[in-house]
Amino acid sequence: MTAVSDSRPAGTDRLAVLGEIEQRVRWLSTAIIDHANRVRPNPTGLKVGGHQASSASMTTLMTALWFEHLRSGDRVSVKPHASPVLHAINYLLGELDESYLTTLRAFGGLQSYPSRSKDPDPVDYSTGSVGIGATAPIWGALARRYITTLGEQAGAGRQYSLVGDAELDEGAVWEAILDPMVAELGEVVWIVDLNRQSLDRVVPNIGAPRLQGMFAAAGWQVLTVKYGRLLHELFERPGGEALRRRIDEMSNPEYQRLLRCTPAQLRERLPDSPELEQLVGTLDDVTLHAAIRNLGGHDLQAVGDAFAQIDDTRPTVVFAYTVKGFGLASEGHPQNHSSLLSAEQIGELAERSGMTLDAPWQRFGPDSPAGRLCAETAERLRRGPVEGVDAPALPTDIGRTPSGRATTQAALGRALLDLTREAPEAARRVVTLCPDVSSSTNLGGWVNKVGVWSPAERKDWFDDDPETILHWRERPTGQHIELGIAEGNLVGALGELGATWSRWGQPLLPIGVLYDPFVERALEPWSFGIYAGGQSILVGTPSGVSLAPEGGAHQSITTPSVGLEQPGCITYEPAFAIDVEWTLLASLARLGRPDGTSAYLRLSTRPVDQSLAAVPADPAARERRRRQVVAGAYPLRTSEQPAVTIAAMGAMVPEALAAAERLETLGTAVDVVVVTSPGLLFDAVQARAGHGARFGTADTWVLDAAFPARRATPLVTLLDGHPHTLAFLAGINQVRATHLGVTRFGQSGDLDSVYRYHGIDADSVVAAALDLL
C-alpha cells in the first residue's frame, strides 16, 4: 500500500488551532439554521427547517479535511444535511459574503442542500437526492480521466464524498460501488459519517462490519476511525479491555441512550463486570462524561491520521464513528434529526464558542493563529477561473436522404458514423454510454468504428474470430463506455460527462442509450444531473407498444411526456431516419455551453418506408423542413380543403397516413402533421399566450407552420404512448379533438394485433375522425 505522506506540523498547538476552527464552524453552521428559523421574519408561519444535528456530526471531519488535507485540485460532494457546515467553512475562507449567512432556505439565498448552480459560494457537487450526490464523484473521476485521454488538461486530485451512514441504504450507492471499473479509480475517497442514526430512529443493528466487508469485497481500501485519544488511553488502563468489549458489543440504541445519561447514570448503566466497574470508579464525572462520546470521528488527530493513510491506487472508504449532534444539547437524541436548539441552548452554545448572539458572524482576527490558518487554507485551495473552449462546429444537415425501410433506432447509429466523416473534430467529442445494450440498440457499427474507452489498452481475444461482428477493442482513445446493467450508473456518468464544460472548460457530447421502458428508472438521477449542470442526450429505444412481441413489461407508456415535464431538457420522437439525423445534430449543438440544454430522443424498432417522409429535393425547401423538424412539428400531407387533421408522432405516422388515404376515399379531406417534439410545441403555445419569461425564446412560428389558423379543423392526435402528451394541441386553434394513445399495460403479439388492442391502428383513427365529423 502506498500511503500519502503526512506533512502536517506536529504538536498540540496545531490541534488547538484546528479545535478552535472546528468550534467556530460548529457555531456558525448551527447559528445559520437558528437564524433562518427563529430570527428571520416568517410571516407565513411555515417551517423553514435545517439540520443542526446532522451538521454537528460532520464538523470535525470537514474541518480536518478542509484545513489540513484538501488541495485545490480535489473536489468534494458534501452530504445534503451538512450544507451549513460547507457554507460556514467557505465563509471563514472568504469565499462567502456575510450577508448570505442569514439567507439559508430564503429565496435567492443559500439553498437547502449544496447546489453548484444556485449557491453563491463554491460547491463542487450538487447533492440533496439521497445516494445520487454520494456517487457523483465516482462519475466525476471517470469524466476527468476521459477528458485527459482526449489529450486535454483536466487537472488532478481526489474526488471526495462525505456520506451519511443512512445514505448507504440507497441501492444507487451499491450499484455504483460494484461496477467493475470503479475499483480502478484510486482518486475516489468516501468518508462515512457513522452516527448510527437515520431520520426517525437509531439504527438497531451493528452494521459497520457488514458494510466494511462489502466495500472491501468491491476492491476498496477500508479505514476505520472508531475511538478518540481519551478512550484509547483508557483502554490501556486496568479494566480497559472490558471497557472496549462493552462498547463494541452493545447495541446502537443502548449506546445512544448512554449519550443522554448523567455521570451518575453512567456509573450505574455502563459497568457489566467487576473490572469495568473498578475502572469507572477511578474516573471523575467530567472524564466519564467525555469518554462515552469520545469517538474517532470527533478526534482531529485520529481523523488526520486516517486521511494520511489513504492509498491512491484504489478507491478508499473511511468509516468515521460520530455522534449525531456532537457538541450540541441535542447530541445523541433519537429525534434530533431536524430538531432546533432552544433559545437558551443556542445562548449556551454561543458562550462555549466564544461568540455572542449580538454579533454571531465574527471571523477570526487576521493575526490570530486561527485567522492565519484560514488565510493559508484559502490560498492553498484557490482555483483559477475555468477557461472554457467551445465545442467544434457541428453540421445541421449531413445531406443524405435515407431510402428503403429503416428504423429510427438504426438511424441513430448511422448518423453517428456519418458524423465521424463529416465533422471529425466534433465527432471526437462524442462519447456514448450503454448499460450492456450496445448491440441490441444498433450501436455496433459505432462501437466498431471508435472503440471502447478504457484507462489502459486491453487485448481483444476475439479479434481474430471471423464470426465476431461486434469488436470490443478497449483502449484509452475509445469513445464508448459500457457499464453494467444499472441505469442509475449510466445517467450518473452521463451527468458528469456532460458537466466537463463547466468543471474543466472541456466540453463533451455525451449520449446515453438504454431501453425506453427503463427511462423512468433512470429519470431521477438524470434529472438531478441536469440540475447540477450536466448537459447530455438520453436515448430511449426501443419504445412503446411497437415493441409488440416483448409484452407489457417492456412497452413504455408514459415516457413521451418526459420532454413536457423535465426542466432543462428538449424531447424528440422522430418519425423518420432523416428526422433522427436533424434532431440529433440540433441536440448535440446545444451541449457543452452556458445556455445549453439536454435532450431526450425516443426511438423505435419499427421499420418504416422512408419514402413516406417525402423529403423535399429543393435545397431551400429541405432546409425549411429541417427547421420545422427541429422546432417541433411539420405538415406532411395537406389537402386543398381539409375536413380533419391528424397529428401523429413517431412510429404511428404510417397509421396516420394510411387512415388519411382511406378517409380521402370516403370523401373526407385530411391534413397530416408530424409532431417531433411535444415539449417545444407546448413552450410555443405558452409563449404565444404570453405566459412567463421561460417561454420567451420559444419558436412560436412553428405553430403557424404546422397548425395554421386558416386550416383549423377537428383534430385527431395519435402516438404510441399516453394520449395526454398531445392533448394540448387542440387548444392551439380551439378545435374539437379526439386523442388516441396507450393507457393500459400491453400484450405480446404481432404489431397489428397490439395496435388494435390499444385502439391506435388505422381503423381506430378513421373511426375517430368520422366521429368528430
Side-chain angles (χ1 to χ4, degrees):
M1 181 182 75
T2 304
V4 178
S5 62
D6 185 1
S7 60
R8 298 169 295 138
T12 57
D13 289 346
R14 172 185 62 84
L15 290 176
V17 174
L18 280 175
E20 189 177 358
I21 292 174
E22 174 195 9
Q23 184 62 33
R24 185 65 57 88
V25 171
R26 182 177 294 111
W27 160 257
L28 288 171
S29 61
T30 306
I32 287 170
I33 299 168
D34 180 75
H35 189 282
N37 286 273
R38 298 188 185 279
V39 181
R40 191 170 69 220
N42 182 10
T44 67
L46 294 175
K47 174 186 173 182
V48 176
H51 302 85
Q52 291 175 335
S54 295
S55 294
S57 70
M58 287 294 297
T59 303
T60 311
L61 297 169
M62 293 178 67
T63 299
L65 182 62
W66 258 263
F67 290 89
E68 284 208 295
H69 292 269
L70 211 59
R71 297 296 179 263
S72 62
D74 299 339
R75 299 291 186 271
V76 187
S77 171
V78 177
K79 79 170 189 178
H81 293 164
S83 62
V85 183
L86 176 62
H87 298 311
I89 290 174
N90 282 335
Y91 172 65
L92 292 178
L93 298 181
E95 296 284 0
L96 181 66
D97 188 79
E98 180 180 321
S99 62
Y100 282 104
L101 299 183
T102 61
T103 67
L104 179 68
R105 302 190 173 205
F107 185 80
L110 300 177
Q111 299 300 296
S112 303
Y113 311 119
S115 172
R116 287 190 71 220
S117 57
K118 297 181 182 298
D119 271 318
D121 53 332
V123 175
D124 293 331
Y125 287 98
S126 296
T127 60
S129 191
V130 175
I132 297 174
T135 58
I138 289 177
W139 313 122
L142 182 73
R144 186 189 62 78
R145 288 197 181 198
Y146 187 89
I147 285 288
T148 59
T149 61
L150 292 179
E152 306 291 352
Q153 295 301 312
R158 291 174 177 165
Q159 300 281 335
Y160 289 93
S161 287
L162 307 182
V163 184
D165 54 348
E167 195 164 7
L168 297 182
D169 292 343
E170 278 289 340
V173 166
W174 299 105
E175 287 183 352
I177 289 168
L178 293 176
D179 193 274
M181 72 172 64
V182 174
E184 301 176 3
L185 302 176
E187 62 268 46
V188 171
V189 179
W190 282 28
I191 302 169
V192 179
D193 171 21
L194 196 65
N195 60 45
R196 294 170 284 186
Q197 282 186 242
S198 58
L199 190 151
D200 291 323
R201 62 174 183 162
V202 177
V203 178
N205 299 317
I206 301 173
R210 175 175 54 86
L211 295 171
Q212 292 161 344
M214 292 166 71
F215 274 97
W220 289 50
Q221 178 193 24
V222 179
L223 302 174
T224 301
V225 190
K226 188 168 186 178
Y227 298 120
R229 285 167 294 164
L230 174 57
L231 275 176
H232 277 296
E233 191 273 325
L234 293 179
F235 293 157
E236 298 300 318
R237 297 186 187 184
E241 281 303 314
L243 175 61
R244 181 194 291 270
R245 174 192 53 75
R246 176 79 170 99
I247 297 176
D248 282 346
E249 293 179 358
M250 71 174 59
S251 69
N252 290 337
E254 182 183 4
Y255 175 79
Q256 295 291 111
R257 183 64 185 91
L258 294 181
L259 293 171
R260 307 296 298 171
C261 288
T262 65
Q265 291 171 325
L266 286 174
R267 295 184 191 281
E268 179 183 344
R269 290 173 178 247
L270 182 59
D272 69 344
S273 67
E275 296 88 354
L276 182 51
E277 186 171 8
Q278 185 175 1
L279 174 61
V280 169
T282 67
L283 305 178
D284 60 52
D285 285 352
V286 173
T287 303
L288 180 59
H289 188 267
I292 201 63
R293 54 194 23 82
N294 183 230
L295 298 182
H298 300 302
D299 187 306
L300 288 162
Q301 182 70 56
V303 171
D305 290 344
F307 290 169
Q309 297 177 50
I310 293 173
D311 176 6
D312 285 326
T313 66
R314 53 181 172 153
T316 295
V317 59
V318 180
F319 284 93
Y321 281 72
T322 61
V323 173
K324 193 165 185 174
F326 182 78
L328 306 182
S330 60
E331 65 179 2
H333 195 282
Q335 278 85 52
N336 67 6
H337 181 79
S338 56
S339 66
L340 298 171
L341 298 186
S342 67
E344 181 182 357
Q345 290 168 340
I346 198 75
E348 291 171 352
L349 179 63
E351 185 176 350
R352 292 201 311 273
S353 304
M355 303 293 284
T356 67
L357 296 176
D358 294 332
W361 315 122
Q362 294 180 56
R363 289 189 175 102
F364 294 106
D367 294 328
S368 67
R372 287 195 294 271
L373 181 54
C374 287
E376 292 167 6
T377 302
E379 184 61 30
R380 184 183 75 243
L381 298 181
R382 184 161 290 118
R383 302 170 186 164
V386 175
E387 301 292 340
V389 300
D390 294 332
L394 284 150
T396 58
D397 186 352
I398 291 174
R400 287 192 313 106
T401 301
S403 58
R405 293 177 65 81
T407 71
T408 54
Q409 176 179 289
L412 172 70
R414 179 59 185 266
L416 289 173
L417 287 173
D418 286 344
L419 190 64
T420 63
R421 293 185 287 269
E422 296 297 320
E425 287 189 24
R428 187 66 187 95
R429 296 266 172 176
V430 173
V431 53
T432 56
L433 298 88
C434 267
D436 198 38
V437 291
S438 300
S439 56
S440 59
T441 55
N442 287 91
L443 285 182
W446 163 259
V447 172
N448 286 344
K449 172 76 174 178
V450 301
V452 178
W453 180 81
S454 174
E457 188 157 356
R458 293 174 177 167
K459 182 176 179 61
D460 179 8
W461 291 98
F462 287 85
D463 199 33
D464 59 348
D465 183 351
E467 296 184 6
T468 298
I469 299 174
L470 180 62
H471 295 287
W472 211 251
R473 301 186 180 100
E474 298 179 83
R475 56 201 179 202
T477 57
Q479 291 179 245
H480 177 76
I481 298 176
E482 190 87 1
L483 297 113
I485 307 174
E487 287 77 14
N489 287 350
L490 170 83
V491 294
L494 202 61
E496 289 306 317
L497 288 162
T500 58
W501 66 274
S502 59
R503 288 199 193 283
W504 298 293
Q506 294 293 337
L508 292 174
L509 308 177
I511 303 172
V513 183
L514 75 165
Y515 290 163
D516 193 70
F518 308 142
V519 164
E520 289 177 322
R521 186 186 300 176
L523 192 55
E524 188 209 356
W526 188 53
S527 175
F528 205 81
I530 295 173
Y531 169 80
Q535 298 168 9
S536 60
I537 297 174
L538 187 66
V539 178
T541 183
S543 65
V545 300
S546 292
L547 189 62
E550 288 283 348
H554 282 75
Q555 294 172 352
S556 52
I557 295 172
T558 60
T559 51
S561 64
V562 167
L564 280 168
E565 300 162 6
Q566 174 59 49
C569 167
I570 295 173
T571 187
Y572 288 110
E573 185 163 344
F576 301 104
I578 191 66
D579 298 352
V580 174
E581 177 191 304
W582 288 339
T583 55
L584 176 66
L585 292 173
S587 299
L588 288 169
R590 298 187 185 105
L591 301 180
R593 38 193 276 190
D595 61 342
T597 59
S598 294
Y600 163 52
L601 272 63
R602 189 175 189 254
L603 306 183
S604 174
T605 51
R606 183 189 185 185
V608 172
D609 179 1
Q610 297 301 302
S611 67
L612 297 176
V615 179
D618 180 80
R622 180 185 175 103
E623 172 59 16
R624 180 172 179 268
R625 165 71 70 84
R626 186 199 67 80
R627 291 181 64 242
Q628 291 172 346
V629 167
V630 170
Y634 60 94
L636 180 59
R637 184 186 192 279
T638 56
S639 302
E640 187 172 337
Q641 294 290 332
V644 68
T645 300
I646 303 172
M649 190 163 74
M652 304 311 303
V653 169
E655 270 61 40
L657 291 171
E661 291 292 334
R662 289 171 55 183
L663 286 165
E664 196 79 35
T665 63
L666 297 173
T668 301
V670 181
D671 280 356
V672 175
V673 177
V674 177
V675 175
T676 55
S677 176
L680 288 178
L681 293 184
F682 183 79
D683 287 355
V685 169
Q686 294 291 88
R688 192 163 73 175
H691 292 312
R694 173 177 177 246
F695 308 102
T697 59
D699 291 325
T700 56
W701 59 263
V702 72
L703 301 177
D704 295 323
F707 300 97
R710 67 182 184 278
R711 300 182 67 83
T713 65
L715 177 68
V716 177
T717 65
L718 175 66
L719 75 155
D720 186 354
H722 199 283
H724 87 276
T725 308
L726 299 181
F728 72 93
L729 296 178
I732 295 175
N733 293 313
Q734 302 298 316
V735 297
R736 290 179 292 114
T738 295
H739 308 292
L740 304 181
V742 181
T743 58
R744 51 184 170 166
F745 290 114
Q747 296 273 356
S748 296
D750 62 274
L751 205 59
D752 289 343
S753 298
V754 170
Y755 280 0
R756 191 179 310 114
Y757 172 76
H758 289 286
I760 55 175
D761 58 328
D763 285 354
S764 298
V765 178
V766 170
L770 294 176
D771 286 345
L772 280 173
L773 297 175

